[in-house]
Amino acid sequence: VDVAAFIANADRQTISTPPARAFSLGHMLNDHSPMPEDIIAPRILTIAGLLVFGGAPKVGKSDFLLSWLAYMAAGEPFLAFAPPRPLRIFYLQAEIQYHYLRERLQQMDLSDDIVARAHANLVITPQIKLILNEAGVAIVTELIPRHFPDGLDIIVIDPIRNVFDGGEDGGGENDNAAMLVFLKDRVERLRDAIDPDAGVILVHHTRKLSKKQFEEDSFQALSGASALRGYYTAGMILFRPDETMPERKIITELRNG
């Protein structure tokens, strides 16, 4: 891949920004047009929305996510989550190597029907090794249309930590300014270049909290800068309430619902 050429081309092409708009109270009260269709209902992932999916290391995020995405790609509900149709999903995965990824997928024991409907709709990278800086964004911007030339519904990035770039100042994921650079100039730039209406799922680690802290505000457990929580449209935490038991729980936080 000619990274320099991609960057030069990206610099020449500016993503059009809609003009600022404002609406009166009367206009909005009288607007009874249909609501946009959720990408994943109920309001888990909305049009151009950002979902942050967090969990502690080894809690089962990858296995949960692979199962969930396979069902979304097949157009089938999974637990309480429902897609409106089979979704086109690009999963930028930066942790599991190819052979161990295919082993996990084969051990999921998906039904033949789910596999048949999802097989071309879910595209996964095996442990991609890149940083989402300007060069990395250019590479992924070129890679996705090879699989989805007509656009897609969801871009998944797993995990933030492995691809994080906070800009020229070099701030880490605990720095609010660096996190905003990553979200606006990396993640949103990638999404807007591929499909401005696509939803984004960012997979993230959680830090340890006391049981009392977790019960009071579970989303304080998300690692890194607080700017992340202020930016997303939905959050989801996967956790194990009792370390001696196999059950997991999911908590969601919705800005649009």
Side-chain angles (χ1 to χ4, degrees):
V1 176
D2 187 346
V3 174
F6 278 127
I7 295 174
N9 188 51
D11 287 340
R12 287 193 297 268
Q13 296 176 355
T14 57
I15 297 170
S16 60
T17 302
R21 304 170 72 196
F23 300 96
S24 69
L25 172 65
H27 175 92
M28 286 188 279
L29 290 176
N30 288 305
D31 183 357
H32 299 292
S33 59
M35 290 294 292
E37 193 171 46
D38 294 341
I39 299 174
I40 300 177
R43 303 289 174 91
I44 295 295
L45 189 60
T46 50
I47 297 296
L50 174 65
L51 166 66
V52 174
F53 174 50
K58 309 302 181 186
V59 76
K61 293 191 300 298
S62 294
D63 288 339
F64 177 89
L65 198 58
L66 286 168
S67 297
W68 184 25
L69 296 179
Y71 273 73
M72 298 300 98
E76 281 294 311
F78 182 80
L79 301 180
F81 311 123
R85 62 186 180 281
L87 302 178
R88 299 159 297 171
I89 303 168
F90 186 87
Y91 184 3
L92 182 72
Q93 190 273 137
E95 282 195 323
I96 307 170
Q97 296 168 315
Y98 173 80
H99 295 293
Y100 307 100
L101 177 61
R102 69 180 175 92
E103 181 180 56
R104 285 196 187 198
L105 289 166
Q106 290 166 8
Q107 290 174 347
M108 282 164 52
D109 196 26
L110 295 167
S111 71
D112 291 342
D113 181 52
I114 293 293
V115 171
R117 285 187 283 153
H119 79 285
N121 285 340
L122 176 56
V123 174
I124 309 170
T125 65
Q127 197 188 38
I128 195 165
K129 294 183 178 180
L130 60 74
I131 301 299
L132 280 181
N133 51 20
E134 288 190 7
V137 169
I139 290 169
V140 180
T141 299
E142 187 274 339
L143 175 61
I144 293 176
R146 293 188 208 166
H147 300 278
F148 299 109
D150 299 321
L152 79 176
D153 299 294
I154 302 174
I155 299 170
V156 184
I157 298 173
D158 178 12
I160 291 176
R161 180 174 299 170
N162 288 29
V163 300
F164 185 85
D165 176 71
E168 293 181 0
D169 294 338
E173 62 184 86
N174 292 311
D175 182 276
N176 278 316
M179 179 59 75
L180 287 174
V181 167
F182 176 71
L183 295 171
K184 292 182 177 181
D185 297 343
R186 307 302 186 236
V187 175
E188 285 196 345
R189 179 177 171 185
L190 170 63
R191 189 268 315 282
D192 290 346
I194 300 298
D195 191 329
D197 287 338
V200 175
I201 298 175
L202 297 180
V203 182
H204 202 29
H205 294 301
T206 54
R207 56 191 175 87
K208 273 193 170 291
L209 293 180
S210 70
K211 187 173 181 182
K212 184 174 185 295
Q213 288 176 311
F214 196 87
E215 289 173 350
E216 287 177 350
D217 189 350
S218 307
F219 290 89
Q220 286 186 24
L222 288 172
S223 297
S226 59
L228 179 63
R229 188 177 182 188
Y231 205 84
Y232 62 61
T233 55
M236 181 184 298
I237 299 279
L238 179 71
F239 71 103
R240 183 183 294 181
D242 185 340
E243 293 295 328
T244 66
M245 302 296 288
E247 287 78 13
R248 270 72 159 176
K249 284 191 175 183
I250 293 173
I251 298 177
T252 59
E253 177 178 62
L254 308 179
R255 178 153 303 164
N256 293 333

